[in-house]
Amino acid sequence: VSPAGVEYEPCIKITSGSDNCGWVNGEHIKPGHPRYVGDEECMTFKAGKAEIQIEVLGQWYTQDEQLALLAAHQLSGYTFGSISSPTVNLILELTGDPGKGKSVRLLAQSSYEGIPIKGHNILYFDGTASIPGMERLFPLLNSGSSLIDEFDKIVNNKGVNVATQMIFMIANGTQRILAEANDNKKIRKIKKWIFAPMVASNKPIGGLLNSHDDVVAIKERIWTIHSSV
């Protein structure tokens, strides 16, 4: 409420190393830039009535077991951090042909932390995000969840090695060991996270990485379910 008595929608601004979307200190953060984390504005907006959200999602859960499963996995992130092990974040992958409702389900669950529209909450982004952008964002989602759409595009657009590195980073919950970009070349302080990641792919990511030496370890970190309308 402003001093003049005008009531505005509440808004929580998220700040981190990955919130640099747009122009930052004269530098344009856009697709291809190492800080880019996808088409999201790094803001979490609260709008509408919680009662309506609870009623709509509650009815949806009773009619859609797969959405209910996503919700249960997401809830585990908020309550336990991880249901797989204390050190591994189990990736729940919803896969299937286009038009099977994968993105809609992820967007529905993104309403837990904002408006369920791409760009209006911190949870939902897509496979165009970079590894540096993700590892700066994920510590903010500790004891929560993340929702990544079009996850198989990581393999198609960035290659097997980048996709593998991203999967292990998400599942193992730790940043890479890198030297800071300064004169001292000190190793940066590693941040970690435990959460419940959920992704959507047209084709199972494990199948696309069958030729990789670590495919067994990759599949151990991903639980794939096939979407249905």
Side-chain angles (χ1 to χ4, degrees), residues 126-199:
D126 59 33
T128 62
S130 67
I131 289 179
M134 285 184 174
E135 66 182 353
R136 290 186 176 95
L137 175 65
F138 286 159
L140 290 176
L141 305 179
N142 187 47
S143 296
S145 67
S146 67
L147 309 166
I148 309 174
D149 204 0
E150 301 175 339
F151 196 57
D152 51 335
K153 283 189 176 181
I154 298 171
V155 180
N156 299 331
N157 298 340
K158 302 179 182 181
V160 170
N161 290 334
V162 172
T164 302
Q165 187 177 12
M166 189 174 291
I167 290 169
F168 280 122
M169 181 194 71
I170 294 171
N172 295 342
T174 183
Q175 294 176 325
R176 298 167 297 169
I177 299 177
L178 297 174
E180 295 283 8
N182 54 37
D183 295 335
N184 298 325
K185 298 296 182 182
K186 294 181 179 179
I187 300 297
R188 69 178 181 182
K189 184 178 180 180
I190 300 300
K191 295 181 180 179
K192 298 183 178 182
W193 56 87
I194 290 290
F195 62 3
M198 295 178 286
V199 303

Side-chain angles (χ1 to χ4, degrees), residues 39 51 83 105-106 113 117 142 170 227:
D39 295 330
E51 294 82 3
I83 61 173
R105 290 182 174 103
L106 290 188
E113 301 217 23
I117 299 174
N142 187 47
I170 294 171
S227 61

Side-chain angles (χ1 to χ4, degrees), residues 20-30 33-35:
N20 297 317
C21 310
W23 291 93
V24 179
N25 297 327
E27 186 177 12
H28 192 196
I29 312 301
K30 57 184 179 179
H33 193 283
R35 281 172 152 178

Side-chain angles (χ1 to χ4, degrees), residues 18-224:
S18 64
D19 68 356
N20 297 317
C21 310
W23 291 93
V24 179
N25 297 327
E27 186 177 12
H28 192 196
I29 312 301
K30 57 184 179 179
H33 193 283
R35 281 172 152 178
Y36 182 72
V37 295
D39 295 330
E40 57 94 14
E41 300 174 356
C42 301
M43 300 281 283
T44 291
F45 295 91
K46 293 182 178 179
K49 295 183 178 180
E51 294 82 3
I52 295 177
Q53 178 192 23
I54 293 171
E55 180 180 358
V56 170
L57 287 178
Q59 292 178 0
W60 196 349
Y61 293 151
T62 61
Q63 300 169 12
D64 186 341
E65 292 181 351
Q66 292 188 342
L67 182 64
L69 179 60
L70 294 179
H73 185 60
Q74 187 173 23
L75 180 61
S76 74
Y78 288 109
T79 53
F80 302 109
S82 173
I83 61 173
S84 177
S85 78
T87 57
V88 176
N89 302 310
L90 178 66
I91 300 173
L92 182 58
E93 179 187 37
L94 187 62
T95 184
D97 295 332
K100 292 291 187 179
K102 302 185 300 295
S103 298
V104 172
R105 290 182 174 103
L106 290 188
L107 282 169
Q109 292 309 117
S110 75
S111 67
Y112 281 28
E113 301 217 23
I115 300 173
I117 299 174
K118 184 177 180 179
H120 289 324
N121 63 72
I122 194 174
L123 298 182
Y124 179 92
F125 48 102
D126 59 33
T128 62
S130 67
I131 289 179
M134 285 184 174
E135 66 182 353
R136 290 186 176 95
L137 175 65
F138 286 159
L140 290 176
L141 305 179
N142 187 47
S143 296
S145 67
S146 67
L147 309 166
I148 309 174
D149 204 0
E150 301 175 339
F151 196 57
D152 51 335
K153 283 189 176 181
I154 298 171
V155 180
N156 299 331
N157 298 340
K158 302 179 182 181
V160 170
N161 290 334
V162 172
T164 302
Q165 187 177 12
M166 189 174 291
I167 290 169
F168 280 122
M169 181 194 71
I170 294 171
N172 295 342
T174 183
Q175 294 176 325
R176 298 167 297 169
I177 299 177
L178 297 174
E180 295 283 8
N182 54 37
D183 295 335
N184 298 325
K185 298 296 182 182
K186 294 181 179 179
I187 300 297
R188 69 178 181 182
K189 184 178 180 180
I190 300 300
K191 295 181 180 179
K192 298 183 178 182
W193 56 87
I194 290 290
F195 62 3
M198 295 178 286
V199 303
S201 306
N202 290 330
K203 295 182 179 180
I205 195 78
L208 297 175
L209 299 175
N210 266 332
S211 61
H212 197 277
D213 293 340
D214 295 322
V215 65
V216 174
I218 291 170
K219 291 183 176 180
E220 288 177 346
R221 288 162 170 77
I222 300 177
W223 183 20
T224 301

